[in-house]
């Protein structure tokens, strides 16, 4: 009985833990990060640092 309740709690907690992965938030953040990295690379070669 206690093991069953514990298992259910673990499943519910894990589902909440990975909810942000299903929302697409991780992909969006990763995309924005790579865009910012690319901007820095081009600003370093053109001399427009900070713009």
């Amino acid at each position: 009985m206690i093991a069953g309740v514990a298992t259910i709690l673990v499943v519910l907690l894990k589902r909440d833990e990975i909810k942000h992965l299903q929302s697409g938030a991780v992909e969006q953040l990763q995309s924005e990060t790579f865009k910012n990295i690319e901007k820095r690379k081009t600003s370093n070669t053109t001399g427009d640092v900070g713009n």
Side-chain angles (χ1 to χ4, degrees):
M1 172 85 176
I2 294 174
V5 172
T7 302
I8 291 171
L9 287 175
V10 168
V11 169
L12 291 175
L13 289 173
K14 281 293 184 184
R15 187 170 56 183
D16 285 344
E17 187 178 304
I18 62 171
K19 195 178 289 184
H20 69 281
L21 296 175
Q22 297 168 343
S23 71
V26 172
E27 288 99 7
Q28 181 181 1
L29 181 60
Q30 192 176 35
S31 173
E32 291 174 9
T33 302
F34 285 127
K35 284 179 187 176
N36 288 335
I37 290 171
E38 287 302 315
K39 283 181 187 177
R40 284 188 189 164
K41 285 181 181 177
T42 48
S43 69
N44 287 341
T45 59
T46 61
D48 296 332
V49 176
N51 293 334

